[in-house]
Amino acid sequence: MKVAETLAAIEALDLRQQALLSEQEQAAQRAKTDPTVRQLRQRRAALEAQVKRQASGLKQLELEVAELAGRAQNHEKAIYDGSVRHPADLQRRQHELETLRVKIQGLEETELSQMEAQEQTSAELDLVGEQLTEREHEVDQLRAADRGRAADLAEELTTAVEERRQLGESVTPSQLRSYERTAARRRPAVAKVVGGTCSGCRLPLPSRLLQEARGEQLVTCENCERILLL
Ligand SMILES: [Zn+2]
């Protein structure tokens, strides 16, 4: 195998190793609390608190209405059972009764709109609950798949590292350094020559360079410094 071919194989293994490591990293991230699950749980807690607040507000309104209705009933009773004789007293009671009825009506309207608001919050809470269950299920499945893949992933990594080590020994240290220097700056570090041009930067290569690349020598593109593979 020509040196450039060996270096290209080394590069393929390096990229494979990178991909496997990133796969491991992603699995490690998924093992932690899922951001969507966390967000949905926070939303659910906030909605639950809101429903509670709305319920206690409604309860308060109901008590107020009941209290005013009781007072209105007393006035009605007094007015109609003939127990109030004095015209001024009767007038005062009638006026108060009217005021109470207006207040009660206002409170009942508020009650109605608050009930609607509570229904909306409850519906949203249901929806968030469904979304949470769905996402938790998804996350469980992903984690189960990650656990199933973990052993294979570790084995593939070990193999890639070992193959890479062996290939690295089949070239000289300076050739390996040359590849590593280029790889640190650009990928791929080894570029195929296609139709007389460097596939890394797509510029045509001088015939002198093409001639050299046919030999055993390591030749780099004068433009992008990639190692050329003929
Ligand atoms: Zn180039």
Side-chain angles (χ1 to χ4, degrees), residues 208-225:
R208 165 186 52 84
L209 222 56
L210 291 172
Q211 194 61 40
E212 279 176 23
R214 281 193 190 94
E216 268 307 305
Q217 216 184 328
L218 215 55
V219 180
T220 56
C221 169
E222 285 168 344
N223 179 54
C224 71
E225 295 175 344

Side-chain angles (χ1 to χ4, degrees), residues 33 58 74 83 100 106 112 119 140 143 151 156 175 191 207 230:
T33 305
L58 266 172
N74 284 342
S83 63
L100 284 169
L112 216 66
E119 273 168 29
D140 280 350
R143 284 179 184 161
E156 283 171 37
Q175 287 166 339
S207 49
L230 207 65

Side-chain angles (χ1 to χ4, degrees), residues 191 198-203 205 221-226 228:
C198 162
S199 65
C201 65
R202 306 199 181 279
L203 285 187
L205 297 159
C221 169
E222 285 168 344
N223 179 54
C224 71
E225 295 175 344
R226 285 183 171 90
L228 294 172

Side-chain angles (χ1 to χ4, degrees), residues 152-219:
D152 284 349
L153 199 56
E155 201 183 306
E156 283 171 37
L157 251 173
T158 312
T159 309
V161 169
E162 177 53 21
E163 280 177 23
R164 203 277 189 199
R165 193 191 59 77
Q166 284 175 10
L167 278 178
E169 280 174 358
S170 67
V171 294
T172 70
S174 91
Q175 287 166 339
L176 194 58
R177 270 199 306 277
S178 169
Y179 155 74
E180 278 165 353
R181 261 199 315 274
T182 310
R185 290 196 301 270
R186 48 182 64 92
R187 290 288 189 188
V190 183
K192 270 197 170 161
V193 176
V194 181
T197 64
C198 162
S199 65
C201 65
R202 306 199 181 279
L203 285 187
L205 297 159
S207 49
R208 165 186 52 84
L209 222 56
L210 291 172
Q211 194 61 40
E212 279 176 23
R214 281 193 190 94
E216 268 307 305
Q217 216 184 328
L218 215 55
V219 180

Side-chain angles (χ1 to χ4, degrees), residues 98-124:
E98 201 43 52
T99 310
L100 284 169
R101 281 179 178 155
V102 171
K103 270 192 190 169
I104 289 170
Q105 203 190 354
L107 287 177
E108 279 173 345
E109 276 163 19
T110 309
E111 218 178 336
L112 216 66
S113 71
Q114 287 195 6
M115 278 165 80
E116 275 170 25
Q118 198 194 18
E119 273 168 29
Q120 269 181 16
T121 312
S122 298
E124 205 184 334

Side-chain angles (χ1 to χ4, degrees), residues 9-25:
I10 285 176
E11 178 157 48
L13 284 167
D14 281 349
L15 294 174
R16 170 128 189 85
Q17 194 188 340
Q18 271 179 19
L20 291 169
L21 284 172
S22 129
E23 210 183 313
Q24 265 186 344
E25 173 56 26

